[in-house]
Amino acid sequence: PGQVDPSGALAGKKIIKADSGYSFSVVLADDGRLYGWGANGGRQIGEVTSGSTSLPVAINMTGMRGLAVADFVCSRNHTAILAQNGLL
């Protein structure tokens, strides 16, 4: 474990929830967005980068079609997102 760099994508944001999978982490910030870092060989943190990243990056949320995030959970190699309208 180590401290996450609070600058960059997470600058000025309050973390609401954090979870992790196998070699990657995802957080939900108070702006309603998800941010991730770590391994991304299987796109665990989305289409943001083609490889691993040690710095948090905003996860591409276009697949949510404007729906707000209610919750999320990380598994070994993926992240599932629950929208506030109940869609997964």
Side-chain angles (χ1 to χ4, degrees):
Q3 181 175 344
V4 176
D5 185 349
S7 63
L10 294 179
K13 295 176 180 65
K14 179 180 175 187
I15 303 304
I16 305 300
K17 179 181 177 179
D19 200 5
S20 62
Y22 183 72
S23 299
F24 73 99
S25 298
V26 175
V27 297
L28 174 62
D30 60 351
D31 64 356
R33 300 219 37 193
L34 294 173
Y35 298 85
W37 63 96
N40 195 37
R43 303 289 191 223
Q44 300 93 311
I45 58 173
E47 300 294 329
V48 186
T49 178
S50 61
S52 298
T53 177
S54 60
L55 298 174
V57 293
I59 293 177
N60 183 340
M61 303 291 287
T62 56
M64 293 287 290
R65 298 185 188 109
L67 298 172
V69 175
D71 201 4
F72 75 96
V73 63
C74 297
S75 185
R76 179 175 173 86
N77 292 313
H78 72 275
T79 302
I81 304 169
L82 177 66
Q84 285 187 344
N85 69 352
L87 292 176
L88 184 61

